[in-house]
Amino acid sequence: MATDVEIALQFAPRPISEIAEKLGIEDHYLNHYGRDIAKVDLRALSHNGRQPGKLILVSATTPTPSGEGKTTTTIGLGQAFSQLNESVCLALREPSLGPCLGMKGGATGGGYSQIMPADRINLHFTGDFHAITSANNLVSAAIDNHIYHGNKLSIDPRQIVWRRVMDMNDRSLRKIVLGLGGKLQGIPREGGFDITAASEVMAMLCLAEDAEDLQQRLDRTLIGFTYEGEPVYARQLEITGAMMALLRDALQPNLVQSFEGTPAFVHGGPFANIAHGCNSVIATRMAMQYADWAITEAGFGFDLGAEKFFDIKCRIAGLDPDAVVLVTTVRALKMHGGKQKNALESEDLSAVKLGLGNLDKHIESVMLFNKQPVVALNRFATDSDAEIAIIRQRCSELGVAFAETTHHADGGKGALELARAVIGSVAQNRPFKPLYDLELTVLEKVRAVCKQMYGADDVAFTKEAAKDLQLVEQLRLTHLPVCIAKAPSSLSDDPLLHGRPRDFEVTVRAIQINSGAGFLVILTGDILRMPGLPKQPAANKMRLLKSGVIEGLE
Amino acid sequence: MATDVEIALQFAPRPISEIAEKLGIEDHYLNHYGRDIAKVDLRALSHNGRQPGKLILVSATTPTPSGEGKTTTTIGLGQAFSQLNESVCLALREPSLGPCLGMKGGATGGGYSQIMPADRINLHFTGDFHAITSANNLVSAAIDNHIYHGNKLSIDPRQIVWRRVMDMNDRSLRKIVLGLGGKLQGIPREGGFDITAASEVMAMLCLAEDAEDLQQRLDRTLIGFTYEGEPVYARQLEITGAMMALLRDALQPNLVQSFEGTPAFVHGGPFANIAHGCNSVIATRMAMQYADWAITEAGFGFDLGAEKFFDIKCRIAGLDPDAVVLVTTVRALKMHGGKQKNALESEDLSAVKLGLGNLDKHIESVMLFNKQPVVALNRFATDSDAEIAIIRQRCSELGVAFAETTHHADGGKGALELARAVIGSVAQNRPFKPLYDLELTVLEKVRAVCKQMYGADDVAFTKEAAKDLQLVEQLRLTHLPVCIAKAPSSLSDDPLLHGRPRDFEVTVRAIQINSGAGFLVILTGDILRMPGLPKQPAANKMRLLKSGVIEGLE
């Protein structure tokens, strides 16, 4: 089969203004970034007077390290809706540049289910990540500058919780000592960098309803503590106005199209781990406002991304999906059945059967939110019919809709069966029920997620976490939803436990306060906020050809 | 008078496609960034078959810390040419975001001589600086990653000369220790950040003729040394292809317009200190290719920016200005006459007279390049006629054209006299003669600049500089031009010495090898590659209004 880049070269895009016109977005709301990309003014949100369309959430079973094609399925499904002549618009996350240069390559789907122009979207796109980096690092510069110029706020350099960010996989910046070099160079202290996707600014931008909401979030962001232990908020540094200026354009969602011309808002890309992992509320609303069907995704497996989609994003924004797709693969279930990661391509019926527990759990999890999943089997060339039959059979036993998809090779056509199943499932979905009430204690909220979503017996807090909890209570932030950071490769907090783990306890090691984003990050295990590059980074294969085409970005 | 932002709000822009059409740039070469900005495909450079237009260089006498309005004069002069119905195009540097948030505010001219849209140009613009930041930091991440994964190249962590960059005034990052935290977090070593404008990637992008040239420059960039003392170049890290991918769009010049609709290529912004301080060669060529008059500027005073413009940029690119403008102000000459910086607004005829030596020296310096300057007196509201008469008189004595300008308050109309004088001066300019031949020794080249441009008696090398010189010889790079980093506030290397210093020696403290950019950075005094924020940063006054207008960015 052709490579993603070769397929991208076959692409004959329509001008983005035509795509916008088809959606009914008036031309004067568009800010063009080349012929194929436009940002859309937020005023377009309240200007067509129609009823918002239906929302479809795409999530997945617990993924292998290479992912199960959730984004690709989302795009393929959108294209299938287009082929059925339905009015549809995608709402997706923006790729992070760091991983594109590192392990992962691009993040714009694949095969004949890509969003375009993939090279620009994967690299700098419209600069949203760079704007977030600048806004984040202005806070850091302002903190250290404030201390340097006399420290009127009495900020304790040992208790600064705000970190710098960079959109690069650079492990050497995780932990640094800065401000060295003597009296004119700042105040020595410990610090470090996270990747931009992990910035609280990213989470705030993605949860903000509008500019005013974002300004309020920035203002109330906790950045550290005084020597006396009092909290210090970003507004006290007098730079949230400048942050808003830096974020002005980044707040507008980006409109692009898929390979088959399906419109897509691609906007925001918070980690699905230490943050809530979905595209911006603004992009989701925009897609719903201008199409009968809006299709969106949530990062990693259903337990991580979709739980946060429901309990954080939907709750805050008043959204409620009308259908839920659960992507799974033969490969993933074989891994969950105990097969080694380098042996997932050969047929192994018993491994598939043993791995079904993971699918079972995620199906149950979807239902806990009052939703009825449609299982999408994203077929790979190495899958056998017999393997797929096992999964189809299990879904039938559970009374859950099942569709095999080949959208990677076939585009929207390969997801038509899935699209019909999704449309058919809408009537079975009831209004969503969050996993927990916000009035519960933090411990009760964490326990609710760990027991119901992960299948844990109970939750233990380390001493450090218990201390953090006291701080949360002291700052009167116990009403916030919890954002649990957990290994994406397991339902449990042990990354090596595949399948459907049972009889385990989740250990909470620390709690981080994201008062601007509006959630408490519950850290279990070692959570990486700054990835490293592998021995052979994807960057090593990249070339700019004379034609302007970028080779090796996939 | 109205503020810059108020003036910007009066601006009625024509679509950038009209501006391009007026220049004769075919529409298919444009990549739009909103209605008011377009990047222009490099293929447009060889596609109109006309003779390149004339080139005008705008430089200045030794500036006060707030600058003498060189950019504003350049823009005003361009507008005056437009008013005279001449075909004209500006070629300017892009502002750096860091200083916009710090001491300096925006850098898009002022009053009725601004380039537009000032807010976008001052903040992220088309993302060129961000792309350069990414490309620069990919090198750093690749270096530390290479060492982490076994260090096949045997890179000595103590001898890495490549630094990370950020477009932020953040003094705390000047000197850091990175890679802390144990075995999984990298290799501990000393490092630090410069501001993006100081990145060698910026200098390379600005000196590159095209993508191929840039690729070669990146490949040959020195990044450090092995334990055995052998040089290590960027190409050995196998990431220059990815750097090119990251820089693909940044290499295209940005087309905007001035307040009065004069076209302007705004592209690249290297420091005028540790780098050569002018916009990209590509932007200058593009302006010359599509207009009869291209007007460009060189950073800081003539001794720093224009010397490098001639000896580095013009020599490498085969350019030769047809006229030279020397901007001066009553304020600057009063400072050079010994007046305190907070007392420059009150009339002081004797201070002006005492300060004339600085102007004299710069006029002589222009002539050393075989050029005949036109002195532009950028009039401030606080200047008295008597003060200006003194300067006019001196120019007359020296046989040098003089024009008073009021373009800040009056737009192009305020620079008509200057425009006529510039046009009149063209016939008096001969082909430029560099200050030194490249075949000379490094010491001879440095001496030539220090004696002729700065008026020094001689040059001394510290022991460290002498050692650096040996290295330059060892790497066979003695043929490169010299890029002298010196205090911008004085003709000498002592920042406090105003006027026309005499009887001084310049001390060279170190030499840095920029093998990619193609020059040797000769460091005199303490040169800051990363500014800090002042006690009250400009960022503190910035606000995003509901209308989308950014307040406080000027």
Side-chain angles (χ1 to χ4, degrees), chain B residues 33-49:
Chain B
Y33 284 70
R35 190 177 169 281
D36 303 329
I37 304 171
K39 278 190 169 281
V40 179
D41 194 303
L42 296 199
R43 281 169 280 209
L45 256 184
S46 50
H47 268 265
N48 70 349

mmCIF file with all atom_site columns, all heavy atoms in Angstrom, chain B residues 33-49:
data_model
loop_
_atom_site.group_PDB
_atom_site.id
_atom_site.type_symbol
_atom_site.label_atom_id
_atom_site.label_alt_id
_atom_site.label_comp_id
_atom_site.label_asym_id
_atom_site.label_entity_id
_atom_site.label_seq_id
_atom_site.pdbx_PDB_ins_code
_atom_site.Cartn_x
_atom_site.Cartn_y
_atom_site.Cartn_z
_atom_site.occupancy
_atom_site.B_iso_or_equiv
_atom_site.pdbx_formal_charge
_atom_site.auth_seq_id
_atom_site.auth_comp_id
_atom_site.auth_asym_id
_atom_site.auth_atom_id
_atom_site.pdbx_PDB_model_num
ATOM 1   N N   . TYR B 1 33 ? -1.887 34.436 5.309   1.00 0.00 ? 33 TYR B N   1
ATOM 2   C CA  . TYR B 1 33 ? -2.016 34.305 6.759   1.00 0.00 ? 33 TYR B CA  1
ATOM 3   C C   . TYR B 1 33 ? -2.981 35.390 7.191   1.00 0.00 ? 33 TYR B C   1
ATOM 4   O O   . TYR B 1 33 ? -2.577 36.468 7.609   1.00 0.00 ? 33 TYR B O   1
ATOM 5   C CB  . TYR B 1 33 ? -0.650 34.479 7.446   1.00 0.00 ? 33 TYR B CB  1
ATOM 6   C CG  . TYR B 1 33 ? 0.232  33.266 7.317   1.00 0.00 ? 33 TYR B CG  1
ATOM 7   C CD1 . TYR B 1 33 ? 0.781  32.919 6.088   1.00 0.00 ? 33 TYR B CD1 1
ATOM 8   C CD2 . TYR B 1 33 ? 0.497  32.437 8.406   1.00 0.00 ? 33 TYR B CD2 1
ATOM 9   C CE1 . TYR B 1 33 ? 1.567  31.790 5.947   1.00 0.00 ? 33 TYR B CE1 1
ATOM 10  C CE2 . TYR B 1 33 ? 1.290  31.314 8.277   1.00 0.00 ? 33 TYR B CE2 1
ATOM 11  C CZ  . TYR B 1 33 ? 1.826  31.001 7.046   1.00 0.00 ? 33 TYR B CZ  1
ATOM 12  O OH  . TYR B 1 33 ? 2.613  29.874 6.919   1.00 0.00 ? 33 TYR B OH  1
ATOM 13  N N   . GLY B 1 34 ? -4.246 35.090 7.088   1.00 0.00 ? 34 GLY B N   1
ATOM 14  C CA  . GLY B 1 34 ? -5.245 36.120 7.304   1.00 0.00 ? 34 GLY B CA  1
ATOM 15  C C   . GLY B 1 34 ? -5.290 37.054 6.104   1.00 0.00 ? 34 GLY B C   1
ATOM 16  O O   . GLY B 1 34 ? -4.608 36.850 5.101   1.00 0.00 ? 34 GLY B O   1
ATOM 17  N N   . ARG B 1 35 ? -6.103 38.102 6.229   1.00 0.00 ? 35 ARG B N   1
ATOM 18  C CA  . ARG B 1 35 ? -6.373 39.000 5.119   1.00 0.00 ? 35 ARG B CA  1
ATOM 19  C C   . ARG B 1 35 ? -5.198 39.922 4.817   1.00 0.00 ? 35 ARG B C   1
ATOM 20  O O   . ARG B 1 35 ? -5.041 40.410 3.702   1.00 0.00 ? 35 ARG B O   1
ATOM 21  C CB  . ARG B 1 35 ? -7.608 39.830 5.513   1.00 0.00 ? 35 ARG B CB  1
ATOM 22  C CG  . ARG B 1 35 ? -8.220 40.674 4.425   1.00 0.00 ? 35 ARG B CG  1
ATOM 23  C CD  . ARG B 1 35 ? -9.469 41.366 4.973   1.00 0.00 ? 35 ARG B CD  1
ATOM 24  N NE  . ARG B 1 35 ? -9.947 42.375 4.051   1.00 0.00 ? 35 ARG B NE  1
ATOM 25  C CZ  . ARG B 1 35 ? -9.419 43.587 3.918   1.00 0.00 ? 35 ARG B CZ  1
ATOM 26  N NH1 . ARG B 1 35 ? -8.396 43.948 4.649   1.00 0.00 ? 35 ARG B NH1 1
ATOM 27  N NH2 . ARG B 1 35 ? -9.927 44.453 3.038   1.00 0.00 ? 35 ARG B NH2 1
ATOM 28  N N   . ASP B 1 36 ? -4.343 40.145 5.831   1.00 0.00 ? 36 ASP B N   1
ATOM 29  C CA  . ASP B 1 36 ? -3.361 41.230 5.752   1.00 0.00 ? 36 ASP B CA  1
ATOM 30  C C   . ASP B 1 36 ? -1.914 40.766 5.625   1.00 0.00 ? 36 ASP B C   1
ATOM 31  O O   . ASP B 1 36 ? -1.009 41.600 5.574   1.00 0.00 ? 36 ASP B O   1
ATOM 32  C CB  . ASP B 1 36 ? -3.458 42.103 7.013   1.00 0.00 ? 36 ASP B CB  1
ATOM 33  C CG  . ASP B 1 36 ? -4.847 42.661 7.221   1.00 0.00 ? 36 ASP B CG  1
ATOM 34  O OD1 . ASP B 1 36 ? -5.522 42.883 6.195   1.00 0.00 ? 36 ASP B OD1 1
ATOM 35  O OD2 . ASP B 1 36 ? -5.243 42.857 8.376   1.00 0.00 ? 36 ASP B OD2 1
ATOM 36  N N   . ILE B 1 37 ? -1.681 39.473 5.635   1.00 0.00 ? 37 ILE B N   1
ATOM 37  C CA  . ILE B 1 37 ? -0.311 38.947 5.614   1.00 0.00 ? 37 ILE B CA  1
ATOM 38  C C   . ILE B 1 37 ? -0.261 37.794 4.617   1.00 0.00 ? 37 ILE B C   1
ATOM 39  O O   . ILE B 1 37 ? -1.175 36.979 4.564   1.00 0.00 ? 37 ILE B O   1
ATOM 40  C CB  . ILE B 1 37 ? 0.097  38.405 7.004   1.00 0.00 ? 37 ILE B CB  1
ATOM 41  C CG1 . ILE B 1 37 ? -0.056 39.479 8.087   1.00 0.00 ? 37 ILE B CG1 1
ATOM 42  C CG2 . ILE B 1 37 ? 1.539  37.885 6.974   1.00 0.00 ? 37 ILE B CG2 1
ATOM 43  C CD1 . ILE B 1 37 ? 0.132  38.948 9.509   1.00 0.00 ? 37 ILE B CD1 1
ATOM 44  N N   . ALA B 1 38 ? 0.808  37.755 3.834   1.00 0.00 ? 38 ALA B N   1
ATOM 45  C CA  . ALA B 1 38 ? 1.018  36.575 2.980   1.00 0.00 ? 38 ALA B CA  1
ATOM 46  C C   . ALA B 1 38 ? 2.494  36.229 2.970   1.00 0.00 ? 38 ALA B C   1
ATOM 47  O O   . ALA B 1 38 ? 3.358  37.100 3.020   1.00 0.00 ? 38 ALA B O   1
ATOM 48  C CB  . ALA B 1 38 ? 0.545  36.847 1.561   1.00 0.00 ? 38 ALA B CB  1
ATOM 49  N N   . LYS B 1 39 ? 2.775  34.949 2.943   1.00 0.00 ? 39 LYS B N   1
ATOM 50  C CA  . LYS B 1 39 ? 4.118  34.506 2.630   1.00 0.00 ? 39 LYS B CA  1
ATOM 51  C C   . LYS B 1 39 ? 4.210  34.336 1.120   1.00 0.00 ? 39 LYS B C   1
ATOM 52  O O   . LYS B 1 39 ? 3.218  34.031 0.463   1.00 0.00 ? 39 LYS B O   1
ATOM 53  C CB  . LYS B 1 39 ? 4.415  33.175 3.340   1.00 0.00 ? 39 LYS B CB  1
ATOM 54  C CG  . LYS B 1 39 ? 4.830  33.368 4.797   1.00 0.00 ? 39 LYS B CG  1
ATOM 55  C CD  . LYS B 1 39 ? 5.349  32.103 5.422   1.00 0.00 ? 39 LYS B CD  1
ATOM 56  C CE  . LYS B 1 39 ? 6.002  32.391 6.752   1.00 0.00 ? 39 LYS B CE  1
ATOM 57  N NZ  . LYS B 1 39 ? 7.372  32.944 6.643   1.00 0.00 ? 39 LYS B NZ  1
ATOM 58  N N   . VAL B 1 40 ? 5.401  34.579 0.582   1.00 0.00 ? 40 VAL B N   1
ATOM 59  C CA  . VAL B 1 40 ? 5.589  34.511 -0.860  1.00 0.00 ? 40 VAL B CA  1
ATOM 60  C C   . VAL B 1 40 ? 6.558  33.381 -1.188  1.00 0.00 ? 40 VAL B C   1
ATOM 61  O O   . VAL B 1 40 ? 7.657  33.300 -0.626  1.00 0.00 ? 40 VAL B O   1
ATOM 62  C CB  . VAL B 1 40 ? 6.114  35.851 -1.412  1.00 0.00 ? 40 VAL B CB  1
ATOM 63  C CG1 . VAL B 1 40 ? 6.325  35.763 -2.918  1.00 0.00 ? 40 VAL B CG1 1
ATOM 64  C CG2 . VAL B 1 40 ? 5.136  36.971 -1.075  1.00 0.00 ? 40 VAL B CG2 1
ATOM 65  N N   . ASP B 1 41 ? 6.102  32.525 -2.090  1.00 0.00 ? 41 ASP B N   1
ATOM 66  C CA  . ASP B 1 41 ? 6.897  31.373 -2.527  1.00 0.00 ? 41 ASP B CA  1
ATOM 67  C C   . ASP B 1 41 ? 8.216  31.852 -3.129  1.00 0.00 ? 41 ASP B C   1
ATOM 68  O O   . ASP B 1 41 ? 8.249  32.827 -3.872  1.00 0.00 ? 41 ASP B O   1
ATOM 69  C CB  . ASP B 1 41 ? 6.078  30.610 -3.585  1.00 0.00 ? 41 ASP B CB  1
ATOM 70  C CG  . ASP B 1 41 ? 6.643  29.235 -3.844  1.00 0.00 ? 41 ASP B CG  1
ATOM 71  O OD1 . ASP B 1 41 ? 7.838  29.140 -4.205  1.00 0.00 ? 41 ASP B OD1 1
ATOM 72  O OD2 . ASP B 1 41 ? 5.895  28.258 -3.693  1.00 0.00 ? 41 ASP B OD2 1
ATOM 73  N N   . LEU B 1 42 ? 9.319  31.149 -2.802  1.00 0.00 ? 42 LEU B N   1
ATOM 74  C CA  . LEU B 1 42 ? 10.630 31.567 -3.297  1.00 0.00 ? 42 LEU B CA  1
ATOM 75  C C   . LEU B 1 42 ? 10.730 31.497 -4.815  1.00 0.00 ? 42 LEU B C   1
ATOM 76  O O   . LEU B 1 42 ? 11.559 32.171 -5.420  1.00 0.00 ? 42 LEU B O   1
ATOM 77  C CB  . LEU B 1 42 ? 11.734 30.695 -2.688  1.00 0.00 ? 42 LEU B CB  1
ATOM 78  C CG  . LEU B 1 42 ? 11.933 30.775 -1.177  1.00 0.00 ? 42 LEU B CG  1
ATOM 79  C CD1 . LEU B 1 42 ? 13.296 30.259 -0.789  1.00 0.00 ? 42 LEU B CD1 1
ATOM 80  C CD2 . LEU B 1 42 ? 11.748 32.207 -0.673  1.00 0.00 ? 42 LEU B CD2 1
ATOM 81  N N   . ARG B 1 43 ? 9.859  30.690 -5.432  1.00 0.00 ? 43 ARG B N   1
ATOM 82  C CA  . ARG B 1 43 ? 9.898  30.614 -6.886  1.00 0.00 ? 43 ARG B CA  1
ATOM 83  C C   . ARG B 1 43 ? 9.547  31.941 -7.544  1.00 0.00 ? 43 ARG B C   1
ATOM 84  O O   . ARG B 1 43 ? 9.902  32.190 -8.691  1.00 0.00 ? 43 ARG B O   1
ATOM 85  C CB  . ARG B 1 43 ? 8.963  29.509 -7.389  1.00 0.00 ? 43 ARG B CB  1
ATOM 86  C CG  . ARG B 1 43 ? 9.603  28.128 -7.243  1.00 0.00 ? 43 ARG B CG  1
ATOM 87  C CD  . ARG B 1 43 ? 8.616  27.017 -7.468  1.00 0.00 ? 43 ARG B CD  1
ATOM 88  N NE  . ARG B 1 43 ? 7.823  26.806 -6.265  1.00 0.00 ? 43 ARG B NE  1
ATOM 89  C CZ  . ARG B 1 43 ? 7.292  25.628 -5.908  1.00 0.00 ? 43 ARG B CZ  1
ATOM 90  N NH1 . ARG B 1 43 ? 7.443  24.579 -6.676  1.00 0.00 ? 43 ARG B NH1 1
ATOM 91  N NH2 . ARG B 1 43 ? 6.598  25.506 -4.795  1.00 0.00 ? 43 ARG B NH2 1
ATOM 92  N N   . ALA B 1 44 ? 8.888  32.803 -6.777  1.00 0.00 ? 44 ALA B N   1
ATOM 93  C CA  . ALA B 1 44 ? 8.541  34.120 -7.313  1.00 0.00 ? 44 ALA B CA  1
ATOM 94  C C   . ALA B 1 44 ? 9.797  34.945 -7.594  1.00 0.00 ? 44 ALA B C   1
ATOM 95  O O   . ALA B 1 44 ? 9.757  35.917 -8.354  1.00 0.00 ? 44 ALA B O   1
ATOM 96  C CB  . ALA B 1 44 ? 7.634  34.867 -6.336  1.00 0.00 ? 44 ALA B CB  1
ATOM 97  N N   . LEU B 1 45 ? 10.912 34.563 -7.001  1.00 0.00 ? 45 LEU B N   1
ATOM 98  C CA  . LEU B 1 45 ? 12.152 35.341 -7.143  1.00 0.00 ? 45 LEU B CA  1
ATOM 99  C C   . LEU B 1 45 ? 12.696 35.324 -8.567  1.00 0.00 ? 45 LEU B C   1
ATOM 100 O O   . LEU B 1 45 ? 13.330 36.275 -8.993  1.00 0.00 ? 45 LEU B O   1
ATOM 101 C CB  . LEU B 1 45 ? 13.233 34.772 -6.215  1.00 0.00 ? 45 LEU B CB  1
ATOM 102 C CG  . LEU B 1 45 ? 13.520 35.550 -4.948  1.00 0.00 ? 45 LEU B CG  1
ATOM 103 C CD1 . LEU B 1 45 ? 14.663 34.919 -4.195  1.00 0.00 ? 45 LEU B CD1 1
ATOM 104 C CD2 . LEU B 1 45 ? 13.839 37.010 -5.262  1.00 0.00 ? 45 LEU B CD2 1
ATOM 105 N N   . SER B 1 46 ? 12.453 34.242 -9.279  1.00 0.00 ? 46 SER B N   1
ATOM 106 C CA  . SER B 1 46 ? 13.069 34.130 -10.603 1.00 0.00 ? 46 SER B CA  1
ATOM 107 C C   . SER B 1 46 ? 12.028 34.206 -11.698 1.00 0.00 ? 46 SER B C   1
ATOM 108 O O   . SER B 1 46 ? 12.232 33.725 -12.788 1.00 0.00 ? 46 SER B O   1
ATOM 109 C CB  . SER B 1 46 ? 13.825 32.806 -10.690 1.00 0.00 ? 46 SER B CB  1
ATOM 110 O OG  . SER B 1 46 ? 12.984 31.754 -10.269 1.00 0.00 ? 46 SER B OG  1
ATOM 111 N N   . HIS B 1 47 ? 10.899 34.840 -11.396 1.00 0.00 ? 47 HIS B N   1
ATOM 112 C CA  . HIS B 1 47 ? 9.799  34.697 -12.339 1.00 0.00 ? 47 HIS B CA  1
ATOM 113 C C   . HIS B 1 47 ? 9.229  35.970 -12.946 1.00 0.00 ? 47 HIS B C   1
ATOM 114 O O   . HIS B 1 47 ? 8.186  35.911 -13.558 1.00 0.00 ? 47 HIS B O   1
ATOM 115 C CB  . HIS B 1 47 ? 8.667  33.873 -11.706 1.00 0.00 ? 47 HIS B CB  1
ATOM 116 C CG  . HIS B 1 47 ? 8.796  32.426 -11.987 1.00 0.00 ? 47 HIS B CG  1
ATOM 117 N ND1 . HIS B 1 47 ? 8.158  31.802 -13.017 1.00 0.00 ? 47 HIS B ND1 1
ATOM 118 C CD2 . HIS B 1 47 ? 9.545  31.471 -11.404 1.00 0.00 ? 47 HIS B CD2 1
ATOM 119 C CE1 . HIS B 1 47 ? 8.479  30.533 -13.047 1.00 0.00 ? 47 HIS B CE1 1
ATOM 120 N NE2 . HIS B 1 47 ? 9.321  30.300 -12.063 1.00 0.00 ? 47 HIS B NE2 1
ATOM 121 N N   . ASN B 1 48 ? 9.870  37.108 -12.724 1.00 0.00 ? 48 ASN B N   1
ATOM 122 C CA  . ASN B 1 48 ? 9.301  38.248 -13.464 1.00 0.00 ? 48 ASN B CA  1
ATOM 123 C C   . ASN B 1 48 ? 10.275 38.834 -14.476 1.00 0.00 ? 48 ASN B C   1
ATOM 124 O O   . ASN B 1 48 ? 9.919  39.734 -15.225 1.00 0.00 ? 48 ASN B O   1
ATOM 125 C CB  . ASN B 1 48 ? 8.765  39.330 -12.497 1.00 0.00 ? 48 ASN B CB  1
ATOM 126 C CG  . ASN B 1 48 ? 9.887  40.042 -11.782 1.00 0.00 ? 48 ASN B CG  1
ATOM 127 O OD1 . ASN B 1 48 ? 11.042 39.611 -11.840 1.00 0.00 ? 48 ASN B OD1 1
ATOM 128 N ND2 . ASN B 1 48 ? 9.555  41.125 -11.110 1.00 0.00 ? 48 ASN B ND2 1
ATOM 129 N N   . GLY B 1 49 ? 11.487 38.329 -14.477 1.00 0.00 ? 49 GLY B N   1
ATOM 130 C CA  . GLY B 1 49 ? 12.422 38.655 -15.555 1.00 0.00 ? 49 GLY B CA  1
ATOM 131 C C   . GLY B 1 49 ? 12.877 40.105 -15.629 1.00 0.00 ? 49 GLY B C   1
ATOM 132 O O   . GLY B 1 49 ? 13.595 40.498 -16.541 1.00 0.00 ? 49 GLY B O   1
#
